[in-house]
Structures are given as structure tokens and as C-alpha cells.
Amino acid sequence: MIKNPVLAGFHPDPSMIFVDGTFYIANSTFEYFPGIAISASTDLANWESIAAPLNATNMLNMMGNPKSGGIWAPCLTYCDGFFYLVFTDVKSWASGPFKDTPNYIVKSPTIEGPWSEPVFINCSGFDPSLFHDDDGRKYLVNMEWDYRKQGNEQFTGILLTELDPITLKPITDPIKIFAGSERGLVEGPHLYKIDKYYYLITAEGGTSYEHAMTVARSENIDGPFELHPNTHLVSTKDAPDAGIKKTGHGSLCKGSDGRWWAAFLCGRPLDESLRCPLGRETAIAEVIWKEGWPYLKDGGIVAREQFQGYGEKHIQRVFDYDFNSKAFKQDFMSLRMPADYKILEDGRLRVYGNESLSSLHNQNMLVRRQTDFCFEAETCLELPFNHFQKMAGLLYRYNEDNQYYLRVAFNEEKQQKCLGILCFDNGNFSMPMGEDEIPIGNGKLYLRLTVKGKYGEFSYAKEDKKWEAIPYQFDASILSDEYADPMGFTGAFVGMSCQDMMDKSGYADYYYFSYKVID
């Protein structure tokens, strides 16, 4: 049995396909760079990160994008020897009545690329999806956003637009084919044609605890669409005891043995606070067909924590990163823009100082997803600069408003480098160590973050490697969608960062980074 989620930590909005013996999933990456995470598996149990197609600024420039903006809900498809990706680069979404949501298409002959330059399609709403009909025609579906309405009514339905199969540009005006069910907030559409029916899979109910994956069908691509007998394929809205919650926003695909699968997002609350610092993750369930409708094989609409796939999960508990390795490049991301760094001949990672922890433009960090409720992250660095505006350290973040930073910087009063903690709690800034920052002098400094469920703490060591705990326990659960104001869509990340708010000449050298699952 394979345990859900199959992709742990921040892996929302899965779009899954099956091509030549391999399952592929594309996930949203929001403001993290490079854009779109693609994972591959042959057994549904073991997944490898294999591609991030939007990996250069000519493909994706998110400078200035708001927190939880950026890449929303990519759709991955395959047709006639090409992989296609459709995605939204959200430029504004939470400030006022508008949403700026340009939608694009890229394609590639291989999943690893090279991918074509993005082709702009429209910006009438988000969550675009590409459908290849069996007559060679291509269609785009996306949700429509109406700024004139209020609340849930701003999600006015699913639009269908025919595209030129060569240029991928629209050749018809959009028509509305589906208004959603009573659950409301219809988004995340995917179209499929199976036998004589067109099936429309959508997300509804918002992306939290009332979320759902809704199914409708029609004999005509432009409708009318009738709802599934259960309305929803998956949802945990009325299942408070479900092991995985928030289930919804998913896709369907068929394996080589004829079995059908649904991939969908889910969340695992840490405790009764219902906060999910691991973000929205990816789960899978087997689907069977009855009288022309898909149903969960296990019955009902509450997906199980386990399913029978094609293999057994291999568990990795320790990740010791070599900065030259493929694993480091696959697991670590930057924020909005490519990270500014280089790898020195001796293997050190030199991270250059850039803008502050509050910037929406050009911060500089290399961070990886938190994938476990209990973990340790550790690194070693040197900061060869003596100014309070030049700093580096171990960063544990959700967004600009919610983060913890164990950083080293020069302290003029103590006339040496000192170690302190910077905290952001829904935008409220504090330095809990105050005047008790720890003098550390020059040389290497070892930093560690230990998180056990809701609680986290930092520790440090000098070159003698004698670890000292910093007597400040903090709340790790605030690094979650549920705590953010407005609600966010990502998850907690941990990693390395450097700031230089004086003249941008500074840098820090990191010697290693490790992430370890603990009990």
C-alpha cells in the first residue's frame, strides 16, 4: 500500500498524465522560482523531481509579484509528440476587486525541455487547461473572474475557447460552458473525452476545508453539462475525521493496465488549530467507472490515506546536499527571480547579498520545502563583512509577513559579529533576543533549526562544534496558509539567505546544508 500524500510538502494543484510507461505530475509553484514543479514516477509510490520548465527570466519574471501570486495551477498534457504546459502568472489577486491573471502556453518534445517561449492566450481568469480533441482541434478552458460581483459570485463559471492548433492563439470568442454546482467558487477545470462524453473536472468550495473535486459531463464540448450523481468525486467537507483533508483540485489519467487514477491536492493539519505548515500536498486515489461516471474505488467521496499502486515507497530520512549535485538543484528554489550565487572550486556555495526579507522584488535565497512535521535543518557559513546591514543565516519562512531568521550581522555596540533572531508574525517585526544577541566573532558558524510539530527552536556552534541551544521557542504553525492574512497558498520553506541593504557588495559562504527527518 502507498501512503498519501505521495508528494509531501507544498505540491498543490496536481495535473497528472501518463506517457510511455511514466506518470508525470505538474504542480503549482506560486512565487517560488523556477516555475512549475514536474515530478515523475513509474509506480505511483516513488517520485523524482525532474523538471522546472520556467527556469529563466525570459520564461518567467515574477519581480514584484505579490505573496502567493505567480504560478497558479499548471496543466500538463501530451499530444502528437509534444508535452504542453498551460499556466497563469498571477500579478495581483488579493488587493481590491481585480485579479491580473495572464495565461500562457509552452511546449516541448521532451519533458526535460527545451520548452518554447511562452505564448500569451488571455487573462480573463486563472487556472487555464488545454484539451486536445480527437479531431485535431484544441481548446482552452479557464475560470472567469468578474470584478463587478461580490464574494463567491466573482467565480462566474468555466470558459471554453478554441485555439489554433499551430500558433496556439485563440480563434474563437470564449463561451461559458459550466457555472458550477451549489458548492460554488468553481475553478481548476480539466476537460477529457472518454467514449461519447466530454468530462469536465473542476475544483470548488475554495482551497481549504470545504474544497472538492467536481465532475460533470456532456455529449457536446460546449455543453450543457450534467453533474455527477454525487456531484463531487472527492471532498472532506463533511468528514472531520478524515486522515487527509482539504481534498480537491485534481485531474484524471489512465495507466497502461487500464486502471484510472485521480491526483488531487490535500492538507494535513498539525493539530486542532487546523494549520497546515506543510502546505497543500498531492494525493492519489484509484478511480473506477460505473454507468459512465468516475467513482473512488473505495467508495464514497472521502479519499483514503493509502491506496494500492504499482510499488513500495522507499523512505529517505537524511538529505546531505552537495551544492554541485542534481539533488540540490532539484530541491532548492529561490524567490520570484533566479538566485544570485556561485559554487566555488572547493564546493562552497557563495550567496550574494540582496534586498531585505520584506522585498517583493529581488530577495536572494535558496530554500527547500518543509516536507515533515518533525525535522532538523543544519548549515555552516562565513560572513566576511562587518556592517549591520549585511547579514546571512538560516531562514525558516512562509512569506514576507511570517518567517523566522537566525542571522549573523555586525553589532556596533559589541563591536563584533553577533547572532540574533528576526521574527515576522503577520507583519509584526520583533527581535526577541534584544540586547542579548550572541557574540560569535569571526570564522565558521554552524546553525541548526529543530522543529517538532508546532514548536521550533534554533541552536548554534562555533568552530569547536559544541552546540548551544538558543533559549527561544517559537510557534512553527504560523508558517501556514491558514494563519496568513489574507489566506495564502504555499507552505513552509527552510534554507540559506543573504542580505546586503548597504551597497550590495556583500556575500556569505555556505559549506553544507542538511535536512533530516526526526521522530
Side-chain angles (χ1 to χ4, degrees), residues 185-413:
L185 298 165
V186 62
E187 56 186 336
H190 291 287
L191 261 177
Y192 304 89
K193 189 175 185 183
I194 303 166
D195 297 328
K196 67 176 182 177
Y197 287 110
Y198 292 91
Y199 290 86
L200 182 62
I201 309 295
T202 64
E204 289 194 292
T207 190
S208 190
Y209 288 91
E210 295 187 354
H211 206 27
M213 186 174 171
T214 300
V215 181
R217 76 181 185 187
S218 172
E219 292 189 13
N220 301 303
I221 194 169
D222 55 359
F225 281 84
E226 61 173 322
L227 284 168
H228 191 288
N230 292 339
T231 304
H232 310 298
L233 182 63
V234 295
S235 181
T236 57
K237 176 180 179 291
D238 300 314
D241 297 326
I244 54 172
K245 305 182 188 299
K246 295 185 173 184
T247 54
H249 198 132
S251 57
L252 298 177
C253 81
K254 181 182 179 182
S256 59
D257 60 355
R259 296 165 75 187
W260 281 84
W261 305 96
F264 47 91
L265 69 77
C266 68
R268 291 180 290 166
L270 184 61
D271 53 28
E272 63 278 358
S273 71
L274 297 182
R275 296 174 186 169
C276 302
L278 303 187
R280 296 171 304 154
E281 306 170 285
T282 288
I284 289 175
E286 188 172 355
V287 169
I288 58 174
W289 292 83
K290 297 178 182 179
E291 299 178 351
W293 290 106
Y295 291 85
L296 294 183
K297 181 182 179 182
D298 294 324
I301 64 172
V302 178
R304 305 287 178 87
E305 290 182 80
Q306 294 184 326
F307 66 97
Q308 186 71 51
Y310 304 102
E312 183 177 341
K313 176 70 174 177
H314 305 302
I315 304 297
Q316 183 176 354
R317 295 178 61 88
V318 178
F319 300 80
D320 290 319
Y321 290 100
D322 176 340
F323 297 133
N324 283 298
S325 70
K326 180 181 178 182
F328 173 70
K329 294 174 182 176
Q330 288 175 335
D331 287 358
F332 281 74
M333 306 180 77
S334 57
L335 189 64
R336 296 186 178 87
M337 298 289 289
D340 187 8
Y341 70 93
K342 72 176 180 180
I343 299 171
L344 305 182
E345 290 184 0
D346 61 3
R348 281 177 293 163
L349 176 72
R350 179 161 292 176
V351 180
Y352 293 95
N354 220 315
E355 294 175 358
S356 77
L357 295 173
S358 298
S359 174
L360 300 181
H361 292 79
N362 210 359
Q363 293 195 52
N364 199 24
M365 65 182 67
L366 285 159
V367 291
R368 60 152 284 167
R369 297 166 177 82
Q370 177 182 344
T371 52
D372 308 274
F373 288 118
C374 300
F375 73 95
E376 274 188 354
E378 184 179 307
T379 191
C380 173
L381 66 86
E382 276 189 288
L383 177 71
F385 297 94
N386 292 329
H387 194 278
F388 78 97
Q389 290 176 316
K390 298 174 187 286
M391 66 182 80
L394 182 58
L395 179 64
Y396 184 35
R397 79 182 307 272
Y398 176 79
N399 61 18
E400 286 72 27
D401 291 340
N402 296 290
Q403 54 189 324
Y404 300 103
Y405 192 29
L406 179 62
R407 68 91 177 96
V408 58
F410 190 75
N411 185 309
E412 298 96 327
E413 293 185 4

Side-chain angles (χ1 to χ4, degrees), residues 23-309:
F23 293 92
Y24 299 100
I25 288 179
N27 290 105
S28 302
T29 44
F30 291 83
E31 68 263 44
Y32 288 92
F33 190 97
I36 305 179
I38 297 182
S39 305
S41 175
T42 57
D43 61 9
L44 297 180
N46 299 284
W47 293 83
E48 180 186 4
S49 175
I50 60 166
L54 308 181
N55 58 6
T57 53
N58 66 309
M59 303 289 287
L60 176 66
N61 187 329
M62 296 187 291
M63 186 178 287
N65 281 26
K67 54 185 183 288
S68 284
I71 300 301
W72 286 18
C75 169
L76 178 64
T77 57
Y78 182 80
C79 182
D80 298 331
F82 282 93
F83 291 91
Y84 293 81
L85 276 166
V86 194
F87 60 92
T88 311
D89 176 13
V90 176
K91 298 301 184 183
S92 69
W93 69 274
S95 54
F98 306 110
K99 281 181 169 55
D100 291 290
T101 59
N103 296 315
Y104 301 91
I105 297 180
V106 295
K107 70 176 186 176
S108 170
T110 69
I111 197 72
E112 295 86 4
W115 293 82
S116 63
E117 290 269 343
V119 174
F120 172 76
I121 316 164
N122 66 24
C123 48
S124 56
F126 48 89
D127 294 1
S129 178
L130 184 62
F131 170 65
H132 311 272
D133 209 341
D134 50 18
D135 60 2
R137 300 167 78 178
K138 297 187 187 300
Y139 297 87
L140 182 94
V141 284
N142 64 270
M143 65 80 67
E144 181 186 58
W145 179 262
D146 191 339
Y147 68 89
R148 300 167 298 177
K149 300 183 183 295
Q150 298 293 321
N152 293 3
E153 294 182 355
Q154 292 176 307
F155 292 71
T156 55
I158 303 303
L159 301 179
L160 175 78
T161 306
E162 187 173 356
L163 305 182
D164 183 282
I166 304 301
T167 67
L168 303 176
K169 288 285 191 176
I171 57 175
T172 65
D173 291 330
I175 59 171
K176 192 169 296 180
I177 60 171
F178 185 62
S181 75
E182 293 183 356
R183 185 71 61 95
L185 298 165
V186 62
E187 56 186 336
H190 291 287
L191 261 177
Y192 304 89
K193 189 175 185 183
I194 303 166
D195 297 328
K196 67 176 182 177
Y197 287 110
Y198 292 91
Y199 290 86
L200 182 62
I201 309 295
T202 64
E204 289 194 292
T207 190
S208 190
Y209 288 91
E210 295 187 354
H211 206 27
M213 186 174 171
T214 300
V215 181
R217 76 181 185 187
S218 172
E219 292 189 13
N220 301 303
I221 194 169
D222 55 359
F225 281 84
E226 61 173 322
L227 284 168
H228 191 288
N230 292 339
T231 304
H232 310 298
L233 182 63
V234 295
S235 181
T236 57
K237 176 180 179 291
D238 300 314
D241 297 326
I244 54 172
K245 305 182 188 299
K246 295 185 173 184
T247 54
H249 198 132
S251 57
L252 298 177
C253 81
K254 181 182 179 182
S256 59
D257 60 355
R259 296 165 75 187
W260 281 84
W261 305 96
F264 47 91
L265 69 77
C266 68
R268 291 180 290 166
L270 184 61
D271 53 28
E272 63 278 358
S273 71
L274 297 182
R275 296 174 186 169
C276 302
L278 303 187
R280 296 171 304 154
E281 306 170 285
T282 288
I284 289 175
E286 188 172 355
V287 169
I288 58 174
W289 292 83
K290 297 178 182 179
E291 299 178 351
W293 290 106
Y295 291 85
L296 294 183
K297 181 182 179 182
D298 294 324
I301 64 172
V302 178
R304 305 287 178 87
E305 290 182 80
Q306 294 184 326
F307 66 97
Q308 186 71 51

Side-chain angles (χ1 to χ4, degrees), residues 397-449:
R397 79 182 307 272
Y398 176 79
N399 61 18
E400 286 72 27
D401 291 340
N402 296 290
Q403 54 189 324
Y404 300 103
Y405 192 29
L406 179 62
R407 68 91 177 96
V408 58
F410 190 75
N411 185 309
E412 298 96 327
E413 293 185 4
K414 298 180 185 292
Q415 280 299 297
Q416 62 176 305
K417 295 187 185 76
C418 289
L419 192 61
I421 299 174
L422 309 186
C423 299
F424 294 78
D425 184 337
N426 261 342
N428 297 310
F429 173 68
S430 65
M431 298 178 64
M433 297 175 68
E435 297 179 357
D436 296 326
E437 286 195 341
I438 302 167
I440 53 96
N442 295 312
K444 293 181 180 178
L445 180 65
Y446 296 83
L447 305 179
R448 179 184 290 164
L449 166 67

